[in-house]
Amino acid sequence: MRVKRTFEIFGISGLLLLTSFNISVPQAHKIKRVVIDAGHGGHDPGCSGSKTKEKDVALAIALKLGGYIEKNFPDVKVTYTRKTDVFVELFKRAQIANDLKADLFISIHCNASPSKNPYGTETYVMGLYKSQANLSVAQKENASILMEDSYAKNYDGFDPNSTEAYIIFSLYQNAYMDQSLSFATKVQKQMKEKIGLYDRGVKQAGFLVLWKTAMPSILMETGFLSNLKDEEFLSSTKGQEYIATGLYRAFKEYKNEVEGNTGDTIDKDVPQIKDTTAYELMNNDSINSVKDSVKEINPKKEILFKVQFATSSSKKSLTSPDFKGLKDVQEYFQNGLYKYVSGNEKTFESSLLLLNKIHDLGFKDAFVVAFLNGERISPQEAVKLIKKN
Ligand SMILES: [Zn+2]
């Protein structure tokens, strides 16, 4: 009797031990399913450039990204919210990912602005907007629901154009925020460091497509179709490949981090990007050809190098004491910022001499910028143009 009892107790505690053991063992989280969401589609073209529609760029990048993942990670299932030019409601896109219990949701879009100036790439995670600009991007993307048949019902009467409507996102609690931010940061890092795209940062805003997703999720604005150079890049096969490889590499990094994998693997059939000036280099020919055709009508072509030493969100006096007595201070406005430069150098070499002087004044972050007929271009482009003439 006594023996049996001990046995029973042992049995129970053994079971408890086993149970608690099972619970306490951390389940190695694996990235097994990725949903790739090409923005817009069908009767919703998204935004447009001079010759390019957002829906086409987004789909091309989405398919390339999915291809790279499938090829290199046979254990990862890739699902697309659309694989062709069809319309898919925003809420359905999140539903597809939730139904499949996906581990990651990647939504691909392009930006546009009423001005031709803004360019570069930014990645959003779901949250309440922190600036008017971020709100505008979400409003533009969410306006897709106005093309849905019963949007009032599907989004509880949400009006994408009303600023007040976005207040609901202040209540938004996301268990996956840290992972979403981690992936978004990797995406931006890839775009900046490997492809040389202008990094507009990781941001937050209330995107309906991300709202109900129950997994880490991001929405990437790959570039501005309203900007000539971004449009050239995004509409080219090479540019689409580059963005897709950047997303792929961010995915790989993220997967390794989540799964605790160390060591690198060799990528199969993923285009290699050899330097960080891919964006600059690949655009020169197409941009130059556009500029050359402009030149024929307007042969005046002035290339000037200047040294940029200060940037400010508010306008400053050109004789501000902040400028430490620098003569010949000029101002230009770009991407919502006032930028202060000095010099009108005809050669890159002389701009470097000026740069040294300005560094010595204490502007340690100063750098050389170039202008073609008053429009900012990269110094590399300017040097190339000078050589060509
Ligand atoms: Zn979009």
Side-chain angles (χ1 to χ4, degrees):
M1 191 69 190
R2 209 186 175 98
V3 172
K4 195 183 172 197
R5 200 188 165 112
T6 318
F7 218 72
E8 266 173 18
I9 290 168
F10 178 72
I12 291 165
S13 57
L15 191 71
L16 280 174
L17 255 175
L18 200 71
T19 316
S20 60
F21 182 72
N22 274 342
I23 290 167
S24 67
V25 166
Q27 291 273 308
H29 180 66
K30 295 266 183 205
I31 307 289
K32 286 176 293 205
R33 169 93 62 176
V34 180
V35 170
I36 303 177
D37 176 46
H40 313 275
H43 65 264
D44 171 14
C47 65
S48 300
S50 61
K51 56 176 182 185
T52 320
K53 290 192 184 88
E54 179 183 0
K55 64 174 184 177
D56 300 325
V57 174
L59 182 60
I61 294 171
L63 295 175
K64 286 184 167 61
L65 168 63
Y68 301 151
I69 294 176
E70 279 169 341
K71 191 94 190 182
N72 288 280
F73 297 102
D75 55 324
V76 176
K77 289 215 160 51
V78 174
T79 303
Y80 304 89
T81 53
R82 67 181 181 95
K83 283 183 92 168
T84 55
D85 184 16
V86 291
F87 184 76
V88 183
E89 291 94 334
L90 291 189
F91 77 94
K92 273 199 188 144
R93 297 170 189 247
Q95 209 172 57
I96 290 168
N98 290 347
D99 288 349
L100 292 168
K101 295 191 168 43
D103 303 292
L104 187 62
F105 182 84
I106 305 171
S107 191
I108 300 168
H109 290 256
C110 307
N111 224 329
S113 160
S115 153
K116 285 186 186 324
N117 293 332
Y119 64 99
T121 159
E122 56 198 27
T123 300
Y124 283 89
V125 301
M126 180 63 202
L128 184 67
Y129 62 93
K130 298 211 169 63
S131 78
Q132 191 61 39
N134 299 358
L135 171 66
S136 306
V137 174
Q139 284 179 317
K140 177 173 67 71
E141 298 295 4
N142 292 339
S144 286
I145 66 171
L146 302 176
M147 296 178 210
E148 298 180 15
D149 287 336
S150 37
Y151 81 88
K153 187 179 113 247
N154 289 329
Y155 304 92
D156 304 325
F158 183 88
D159 173 3
N161 295 318
S162 139
T163 306
E164 290 74 46
Y166 286 78
I167 285 300
I168 53 160
F169 298 124
S170 62
L171 301 170
Y172 179 76
Q173 295 282 323
N174 188 348
Y176 305 100
M177 180 62 92
D178 287 350
Q179 283 156 291
S180 302
L181 280 172
S182 162
F183 181 56
T185 306
K186 290 175 173 56
V187 170
Q188 283 304 113
K189 192 167 180 271
Q190 283 289 334
M191 298 305 149
K192 182 187 175 190
E193 293 180 4
K194 286 276 161 49
I195 309 177
L197 297 181
Y198 176 60
D199 173 17
R200 301 174 64 90
V202 172
K203 301 177 175 184
Q204 271 185 31
F207 290 92
L208 292 173
V209 70
L210 302 181
W211 188 20
K212 300 268 167 92
T213 54
M215 76 267 333
S217 58
I218 62 140
L219 184 145
M220 186 189 178
E221 295 286 355
T222 50
F224 284 79
L225 291 181
S226 44
N227 175 273
L228 177 66
K229 191 160 178 176
D230 270 14
E231 185 187 14
E232 282 293 340
F233 186 74
L234 290 170
S235 61
S236 69
T237 307
K238 258 276 176 297
Q240 292 162 359
E241 270 175 9
Y242 279 4
I243 302 244
T245 60
L247 278 163
Y248 164 78
R249 279 178 244 280
F251 168 78
K252 181 171 152 179
E253 249 183 81
Y254 174 78
K255 186 176 189 292
N256 284 339
E257 186 179 276
V258 170
E259 298 180 358
N261 304 332
T262 48
D264 203 5
T265 49
I266 293 167
D267 300 324
K268 280 177 283 182
D269 299 327
V270 179
Q272 293 299 309
I273 293 164
K274 293 193 179 60
D275 60 51
T276 55
T277 54
Y279 175 75
E280 293 296 335
L281 292 176
M282 74 160 299
N283 277 277
N284 277 343
D285 291 340
S286 52
I287 294 296
N288 286 343
S289 68
V290 172
K291 286 189 177 145
D292 286 346
S293 62
V294 172
K295 191 180 74 177
E296 279 166 25
I297 310 163
N298 175 15
K300 258 194 291 168
K301 198 172 195 179
E302 188 185 40
I303 294 168
L304 289 173
F305 297 92
K306 297 167 194 280
V307 173
Q308 184 167 320
F309 58 91
T311 302
S312 170
S313 54
S314 59
K315 206 173 165 70
K316 286 177 178 266
S317 156
L318 296 183
T319 53
S320 161
D322 294 350
F323 298 160
K324 302 183 183 177
L326 246 177
K327 301 260 180 302
D328 175 38
V329 174
Q330 308 148 44
E331 175 197 276
Y332 72 100
F333 187 73
Q334 189 190 37
N335 297 335
L337 291 169
Y338 296 92
K339 300 182 177 182
Y340 295 91
V341 294
S342 179
N344 278 311
E345 307 304 310
K346 295 257 190 292
T347 65
F348 184 58
E349 290 70 24
S350 67
S351 72
L352 290 178
L353 295 176
L354 179 63
L355 177 65
N356 277 335
K357 282 185 200 155
I358 291 180
H359 273 168
D360 290 346
L361 278 174
F363 297 103
K364 297 293 177 208
D365 299 326
F367 55 94
V368 173
V369 291
F371 291 84
L372 170 66
N373 293 339
E375 211 182 308
R376 173 109 181 246
I377 59 172
S378 75
Q380 293 96 313
E381 221 177 300
V383 169
K384 213 174 151 184
L385 281 172
I386 290 171
K387 276 191 190 144
K388 228 173 136 185
N389 293 322

